[in-house]
Amino acid sequence: MALTIKQIHPVFVGEVSGVDLTRPLSREDVAAIADGMNRHAVLVFHGQDITDAQQIAFSLNFGELEVKARPGNIRKASESRLGAGIGDLSNLDKNGKIISGDDRQWFFKLGDRLWHSDSSYAEVPAKHSLLSARVVPSWGGNTDFADMRAAYDALDQRTKEEIEDLVCEHSLIHSRAAVGFTDLTPEEIASFRPVRQRLVRVHPETGRKSLFLSAHAGAIEGWTIPEARSFLRDLTEHATQREFVHSHVWRQHDLVMWDNRATMHRARRFDRNEVRDMRRTTLAGNAPTIEQLAA
Ligand code: OGA
Ligand code: MN
C-alpha cells in the first residue's frame, strides 16, 4: 500500500497511512515523510504497535538522537524506567508504579502542561520529537499542537519588524516557576541556567519564519522583565488561538512526530490515578538559533 498524507487541519498536521513503522522504510517513504514534516510540521501515524528499538530505528531515518548537553529533568539516570535513547513521558516510576501526586517528579512533569518547544532550554534545541502512545488513560491526556509559522505570518507588520532580531532567555527554572514549582536544589538551578534563543526562527529546510516561543522563555535581552513577560504572554496567546491549534486525541499505538522548529505543544489533563505510558525519541537540532543569519 502506498504512503499517503492527508492534511487534517486548515494550516498544518498530516495524517499518514500506508506505512508500517515497525519495519525498515524504503527511501521513497523516508523522503515522503521528511517532505510531509516540512509541509505539515506535525504527522500522525495510527496503529503503530512498536517496541522502543523500532521507534529508535524509525527516528534515525530523519536525523541523530539528541544527546542532552544539559539535563531536561530532575530524575537521575539510575531512576529511569527505560533504556538509553528513549524519553519517559509517562506518569510511572522506575518500577512501573504511578508516581505519587505529591512527588517532585510529578510537579516537574506538570510543566509540560504549558505551551513549549522541546529543549528550547538547551543551546541547540531539538529538531523533531516522536511520541508513541503505549498505554492511554480512559479520559483526557490529549496533546495540543500550535503552528508557529502560521502564527508568525498572522502578525502585523510593525510587530514583525519589532521582534525580528530579539533574543530571549530560556530555562526550565522559568517554566517550572510558572506552575509554582520552585523547590530546586542548587545543583539543579546551576544545570538549568538560561540559554539564548532568537524569537524569530527561519526554518533551515523550508526558509519559513516562525515564532520561537516556549514556556521556558522568561526574559528578552535588553527589556525589563515585566515588559518582556507581558509581551511573551501576549505573543503566546496570539500563537495559540484556535485557528492555529490542533488537539490530538490519543489512541493506543498512535505515533505523533512534530517539528519543534515550527510548532509548540502542551500536554492536557487526565486522571493521574490511571496509567499514561508515552515514550519519546528526540532528534537533535543542528545549530544554536542564535547563529542563524539575520533573516
Ligand atoms: C513531550 C510532551 C506532551 C504529552 O513529549 O515532549 O511535552 O502530551 N508531551 O505527553
Ligand atoms: Mn514536550
Side-chain angles (χ1 to χ4, degrees):
M1 196 165 72
L3 186 152
T4 55
I5 304 180
K6 185 178 96 191
Q7 189 166 315
I8 58 170
H9 179 279
V11 297
F12 71 145
V13 190
E15 192 176 62
V16 187
S17 51
V19 64
D20 177 355
L21 305 187
T22 67
R23 306 163 78 103
L25 264 57
S26 68
R27 269 217 294 213
E28 291 73 27
D29 284 357
V30 170
I33 292 168
D35 180 64
M37 283 300 288
N38 283 338
R39 220 179 275 273
H40 306 290
V42 179
L43 293 178
V44 176
F45 303 80
H46 296 293
Q48 305 292 339
D49 183 4
I50 53 176
T51 64
D52 293 353
Q54 289 165 342
Q55 182 173 342
I56 291 172
F58 170 64
S59 304
L60 289 173
N61 286 303
F62 307 98
E64 288 170 19
L65 294 183
E66 179 178 69
V67 182
K68 285 244 156 66
R70 53 167 73 222
N73 58 53
I74 56 174
R75 198 191 333 235
K76 297 183 183 68
S78 61
E79 291 297 306
S80 112
R81 179 174 66 104
L82 308 175
I86 289 271
D88 194 350
L89 276 288
S90 76
N91 60 335
L92 303 173
D93 69 14
K94 183 185 179 174
N95 303 312
K97 282 186 50 196
I98 292 176
I99 299 171
S100 150
D102 56 12
D103 191 309
R104 62 199 296 276
Q105 303 273 2
W106 179 248
F107 296 156
F108 195 86
K109 278 179 181 288
L110 289 170
D112 285 344
R113 303 274 170 99
L114 305 179
W115 286 106
H116 66 281
S117 177
D118 288 335
S119 47
S120 78
Y121 53 78
E123 278 87 355
V124 179
K127 179 187 179 189
H128 298 162
S129 296
L130 300 91
L131 192 61
S132 156
R134 308 298 175 84
V135 179
V136 297
S138 61
W139 171 86
N142 293 354
T143 305
D144 292 347
F145 294 92
D147 187 341
M148 306 305 285
R149 309 164 304 179
Y152 175 83
D153 291 346
L155 292 170
D156 63 81
Q157 193 54 33
R158 183 187 161 126
T159 307
K160 283 182 181 166
E161 283 164 20
E162 187 176 15
I163 66 175
E164 179 70 21
D165 293 315
L166 291 182
V167 172
C168 297
E169 286 182 8
H170 293 230
S171 166
L172 280 162
I173 299 169
H174 182 68
S175 51
R176 272 52 200 169
V179 291
F181 178 55
T182 53
D183 174 28
L184 297 170
T185 65
E187 294 74 33
E188 287 164 346
I189 290 170
S191 67
F192 297 158
R193 69 196 175 279
V195 300
R196 305 170 70 222
Q197 304 289 3
R198 289 187 70 106
L199 180 53
V200 178
R201 292 189 80 163
V202 177
H203 195 282
E205 287 157 50
T206 66
R208 274 190 83 176
K209 286 187 183 173
S210 67
L211 270 175
F212 192 35
L213 294 168
S214 190
H216 308 308
I220 302 174
E221 283 184 1
W223 289 42
T224 64
I225 292 288
E227 197 102 42
R229 296 224 178 139
S230 55
F231 186 41
L232 290 170
R233 255 188 204 236
D234 198 33
L235 287 173
T236 302
E237 198 175 304
H238 160 80
T240 55
Q241 293 175 72
R242 261 187 112 73
E243 57 189 301
F244 309 134
V245 171
H246 171 75
S247 191
H248 180 72
V249 182
W250 290 97
R251 290 184 236 157
Q252 188 185 29
H253 301 148
D254 281 351
L255 183 139
V256 178
M257 177 172 181
W258 63 88
D259 190 339
N260 288 294
R261 304 165 301 180
T263 58
M264 280 202 292
H265 60 279
R266 65 171 175 180
R268 305 308 309 272
R269 289 185 72 221
F270 62 100
D271 180 346
R272 50 161 307 282
N273 298 307
E274 290 185 30
V275 173
R276 182 173 188 263
D277 187 353
M278 313 290 287
R279 303 187 188 192
R280 196 181 88 195
T281 37
T282 314
L283 298 176
N286 51 4
T289 62
I290 220 72
E291 283 175 11
Q292 167 186 293
L293 297 175

